[in-house]
Amino acid sequence: MPGTMGIAHTRWATHGKPSEVNAHPHTDCKNHIYVVHNGIIENYKAIKDELSKKGHVFKSETDTEVIAHLIEEYFAGNLEQATLKAAKYLEGAYAFAVISIDNPEKIIVVKKSSPLVIGLGKGENFIASDPLALAGYADKVIYLEDNELGVITKDSYQIISTQHKEPIKKQEHELDLNAAKMQKNGHEYFMLKEIFESAEVIQNSIRGRIIGKTGEVKLGGLENLDKNRIKNINRIILIAYGTAAYVCLIGKYMLEEYTGIPVDAEFGSEFRYRKTTLNAQTAVIVLSQSGETADSLASILEAKKRGALVLGIVNVVGSTISRETEAGIYNHAGPEIAVASTKAFISQIVILALLTVYLGRMRGKMSTDISKQITFQIQKLPALIEKVLKNSKQIKQLAHKYAKYKNFLYMGRKYNYPIAEEGAHKLKEVDYYVHAEGYPSGEPKHGAIAMIDENFPSIFIMPNDSVYEKNFSNMEEIKARNGKIIAIATEGNQEIKKVVEDVIYIPQTLEMLTPILSVIPLQLFTCFMGIELGCDVDKPRNLAKSVTVE
Ligand code: M6R
């Protein structure tokens, strides 16, 4: 291409199906102004209606296109002035970039809630959503804050507050050009880096999906489905493998509690050969980080054949499962490099929480108050996760202390029973010299408790929830057999210290969201213990990141 300036965006659909006409950039009526946008414009409909009345003609189904037309509406020769005026009317989460054929030497960028970074090179400057993309191109970066507008040319930049219209002095940060190190964000292993991204992952997974303060959830990927098909669902089958299969178990508890729909959680390899009756009112929902897992894929084909509505919750955009399902929800957890799934796991839980609210409201089973409460608590998760991650030093010490043991039992109840399974799964997978099993806390006394002695530690996941007392009694059963116990408990719980050897605290949240906080200490414990034991925590032996064989 002959040009020396350009903007582009790899889009996922919030409004309108993936198609050429909905692809970025979007333009104004005269094709003078071009816009790319990451995020969601919540009030786009009102803006579109108003501009249409004034004669603007829209070409796409996207929310983004309103930005180009709004700037056109205000344009009087100065692109940044027009953009500043337009930004005043936009509600939602956005980072967008604007160019105009009338000002061919500059890019205007505006940020609110979605990430945006400016990269400074020599005789060339860049913009991106993530500094990683700039490794090898820019020497320094500037992170835009919310409500800031940037005017960028090939050798200059200027930042202005969109609220006070004043210039802002920004700090330039050195960008380490070592791409490999950049990729790990300073961590020794991808697994650690990915666990430490958890707060950001939740933000990315929920961005644009919770509407203001009304407690409504918007899932763009389900928008093109006939609403009646969703309303008529009378059975849900959640299908996945490994770590994602434990998310299905959590989803079962959430969906049954708040939507009243009966839910099964199954392994694809079992489901595909089971002669269960499916019909148009059955929703088969497949969860997969990679979107390539063979048995999950086979289950999709089988479910389609038997007439079910087949949906996907997938992290890798454009993967086979995302293409084979009728509709779905992307995780937006970002690339997961370590074989052990950590950040995808928590994003899958939060997506199922959003789906629970979406279905609960749509089917009239959830009150506005409850949905407001759930969505409010979901939005608080990133800050709570940061608090949990602050315990990483303590968890590292515990990993050191317990690295000499060869067997572990993980136990939990209700929402945290799947976390016991996942904790044990992670330990077996990553720390392959150690054996672990996950159980519902009430179960070991029917068999496994026979193995307990002072050399067989147990991990109890027991936040302050509706089954805390029951869990406590089960923990005392283990204690009575001289079992050493590590507990994951809610901050402020002092009584537990009398029974357990060690306790890791997590903050209080809604019961259905506790797995997101309780799993993080277990992921860290596994990772630190694996490092201690000399395992390659990013690439455990005998395993592959995506399992594309039956
Ligand atoms: O890509 P998928 O989510 O479909 O993969 C499913 C399992 O193979 C995966 O979760 C596996 O158990 C991970 N290694 C767990 O950490």
Side-chain angles (χ1 to χ4, degrees), residues 373-387:
Q373 201 191 341
I374 298 175
T375 50
F376 177 70
Q377 292 295 336
I378 288 176
Q379 292 174 90
K380 279 172 69 179
L381 284 170
L384 301 186
I385 289 172
E386 293 293 1
K387 263 185 115 179

Side-chain angles (χ1 to χ4, degrees), residues 7-75:
I7 51 174
H9 172 52
T10 42
R11 165 186 186 264
W12 63 279
T14 57
H15 296 81
K17 60 184 178 299
S19 67
E20 213 162 298
V21 81
N22 287 334
H24 295 215
H26 290 288
T27 68
D28 64 331
C29 296
K30 298 194 282 290
N31 289 343
H32 275 210
I33 294 164
Y34 290 77
V35 174
V36 294
H37 157 227
N38 178 25
I40 188 165
I41 305 298
E42 283 169 7
N43 60 339
Y44 87 101
K45 189 102 195 33
I47 298 176
K48 193 169 178 173
D49 289 348
E50 208 180 309
L51 291 177
S52 297
K53 277 189 213 142
K54 291 187 174 167
H56 287 258
V57 178
F58 288 81
K59 301 175 270 280
S60 77
E61 303 159 285
T62 66
D63 52 339
T64 301
E65 194 183 345
V66 301
I67 305 175
H69 288 273
L70 207 51
I71 296 172
E72 176 184 30
E73 185 65 22
Y74 292 117
F75 188 73

Side-chain angles (χ1 to χ4, degrees), residues 241-244 287-291 293 296 339-341 348 425-426 429 543-547:
Y241 266 94
T243 284
L287 277 77
S288 176
Q289 187 287 128
S290 62
T293 303
S296 299
V339 166
S341 181
Q348 285 163 338
H425 178 99
K426 273 282 157 302
E429 172 184 21
L543 290 175
K545 182 66 184 159
S546 55
V547 183

